[in-house]
Amino acid sequence: MACNDENEPLLSGLATPRTQKTNGDRPKKRRFRRVRSAPFADFVPTDGNREAAVPRSGSFLGRLNPSLKKVALFLTLYMGLGTICFYTTRTQIKGDKTNGILDALYFCVVTMTTVGYGDLVPNSDLAKLLACAFVFTGMALVGLVLTKAADYLAEKQEILLVKALHMNQKVGELQVLKEIETNRVKYKFYTTLIILVVLILSGTIFLYKVENLGLVDSFYCVCSTITTLGYGDKSFSTEGGRIFAVFWILASTICLAQFFLYVAEVNTENRQRALVKWVLGRRTTNVDLEAADIDDNGVVGAAEFVLFKLKEMGKICQQDISVIMEEFENLDVDQSGTLSVSDISEAQIC
């Protein structure tokens, strides 16, 4: 995020190397290499010591994302505890019932997702207090845990989507990853949209075939469910329908929430790209050169120009630069203005 510091200097005390001359008057052109990524892709830090890194396990559980493990644990605890509580108080819940354990699990999911059809309602003080407790904890579980897991799963499906879009082309794994990195938010949006359409169609067909609702009523029930309206005039009333609803309601409501989140992210990204295009497309003026001249030596070096453009795009701000410069000064043990292997070694010892 950009900071409101357009009038502040980008760096304090940054020395831009002067252009070297050869043959008296011809400047020597400086060459810049592409910056390589930090080598942390295959290692994860341990909790006890941040400097120690261990390789990822080759087993399935070792390769499973830690967030998914937490999701499975929290969801199992919530569903298990909720089912036990509502099954114990099943006589204090009135409505259309099928199977005791199934109804308790179904009521737990409907409560957690705030759908609240009204086909099952608490009918005692104890049942009402339990419903209040589980609706708040359920909303917290959905907001803090399940949406992160859904975002992670959407990222995993991006590779399949990109490969499907380039099915008739010979595209390597590196090209696929580069394409995903460039258009990550857009592909998340497309992936979630496809999954949402599949969930809407499957729910409509299921209600039409199994619950014997009309086609319009089936689609109406699907829309009122995934938007958590839950009018209650149409719902899952059969035993088979509630087994399907336990999984479908949870998946569809979270998917819709993620879809609107990605809509907002796509809109934000498009505005950011429009700003970048405008910054790179407009002509550089003398006023820009004066603003980009950090050390006030009358010329603008490559590093100064890059920093000026990045700040103008809103990608960095003065606070970001100050933090980075502070780290640089801490690593520059010999105060030479450059970093070497000996500087890094001495800094680690200190």
Side-chain angles (χ1 to χ4, degrees):
M1 298 294 294
C3 303
N4 296 325
D5 50 11
E6 288 82 357
N7 297 325
E8 298 181 14
L10 291 177
L11 296 177
S12 57
L14 174 68
T16 303
R18 293 183 179 275
T19 309
Q20 297 181 358
K21 304 247 181 182
T22 58
N23 298 331
D25 55 355
R26 296 184 61 185
K28 182 179 179 181
K29 187 176 182 180
R30 299 177 62 191
R31 297 181 180 273
F32 292 90
R33 291 194 307 173
R34 189 182 189 88
V35 179
R36 292 179 292 182
S37 300
F40 294 134
D42 298 327
F43 297 92
V44 290
T46 59
D47 293 335
N49 184 5
R50 296 187 63 182
E51 294 181 358
V54 294
R56 295 184 187 272
S57 172
S59 64
F60 172 76
L61 293 177
R63 287 184 281 109
L64 190 63
N65 189 274
S67 63
L68 293 184
K69 296 179 183 178
K70 292 181 181 179
V71 167
L73 176 61
F74 290 144
L75 188 60
T76 302
L77 290 175
Y78 180 88
M79 292 294 189
L81 184 60
T83 302
I84 293 173
C85 291
F86 292 126
Y87 178 76
T88 304
T89 59
R90 64 188 181 280
T91 57
Q92 303 174 40
I93 297 176
K94 65 178 182 179
D96 301 328
K97 299 182 179 181
T98 57
N99 176 277
I101 296 178
L102 178 60
D103 288 343
L105 181 60
Y106 168 76
F107 184 72
C108 185
V109 172
V110 170
T111 301
M112 177 176 64
T113 55
T114 68
V115 171
Y117 286 123
D119 50 354
L120 293 174
V121 293
N123 196 31
S124 69
D125 291 341
L126 176 60
K128 291 176 181 178
L129 290 176
L130 284 174
C132 292
F134 275 91
V135 71
F136 281 113
T137 54
M139 291 175 65
L141 181 64
V142 170
L144 300 177
V145 181
L146 295 183
T147 51
K148 292 183 179 180
D151 184 69
Y152 172 77
L153 293 175
E155 288 182 358
K156 289 299 181 182
Q157 300 304 315
E158 291 175 14
I159 297 178
L160 298 178
L161 177 61
V162 174
K163 287 183 177 180
L165 292 175
H166 299 86
M167 187 179 300
N168 298 326
Q169 305 174 8
K170 293 183 178 180
V171 180
E173 192 71 21
L174 291 178
Q175 286 80 2
V176 171
L177 294 176
K178 184 178 180 181
E179 176 70 14
I180 292 174
E181 187 65 28
T182 304
N183 301 286
R184 180 173 297 276
V185 177
K186 183 178 72 173
Y187 284 125
K188 279 185 180 181
F189 168 78
Y190 289 148
T191 302
T192 309
L193 176 61
I194 293 172
I195 296 175
L196 181 61
V197 171
V198 171
L199 288 170
I200 291 175
L201 290 176
S202 63
T204 303
I205 294 172
F206 185 90
L207 287 166
Y208 179 74
K209 293 290 186 180
V210 178
E211 295 289 336
N212 296 321
L213 296 179
L215 192 59
V216 174
D217 287 339
S218 298
F219 182 70
Y220 162 77
C221 182
V222 166
C223 292
S224 65
T225 300
I226 64 176
T227 56
T228 69
L229 283 173
Y231 287 121
D233 52 343
K234 305 295 179 183
S235 62
F236 296 88
S237 57
T238 65
E239 186 171 339
R242 289 185 176 178
I243 294 175
F244 173 80
V246 166
F247 302 97
W248 181 83
I249 291 176
L250 191 60
S252 58
T253 52
I254 294 176
C255 184
L256 182 66
Q258 290 296 111
F259 172 75
F260 284 116
L261 173 64
Y262 295 145
V263 168
E265 288 186 0
V266 167
N267 183 45
T268 302
E269 186 179 75
N270 289 337
R271 286 187 296 175
Q272 178 64 31
R273 288 186 175 181
L275 175 61
V276 170
K277 184 178 180 180
W278 177 81
V279 170
L280 295 178
R282 73 181 188 88
R283 291 185 177 182
T284 303
T285 64
N286 294 334
V287 176
D288 296 327
L289 290 179
E290 183 178 353
D293 187 11
I294 299 172
D295 53 6
D296 294 325
N297 64 346
V299 293
V300 176
E304 292 174 308
F305 188 75
V306 168
L307 286 174
F308 172 73
K309 285 295 183 181
L310 288 176
K311 191 176 181 183
E312 194 176 24
M313 294 174 189
K315 294 183 178 294
I316 60 172
C317 65
Q318 179 62 37
Q319 190 176 18
D320 299 328
I321 299 172
S322 299
V323 172
I324 296 173
M325 285 303 299
E326 183 179 354
E327 181 181 0
F328 180 87
E329 291 172 358
N330 292 333
L331 293 174
D332 187 15
V333 179
D334 58 3
Q335 301 297 315
S336 63
T338 59
L339 294 181
S340 62
V341 176
S342 60
D343 288 328
I344 302 298
S345 300
E346 292 181 22
Q348 290 177 347
I349 295 174
C350 299

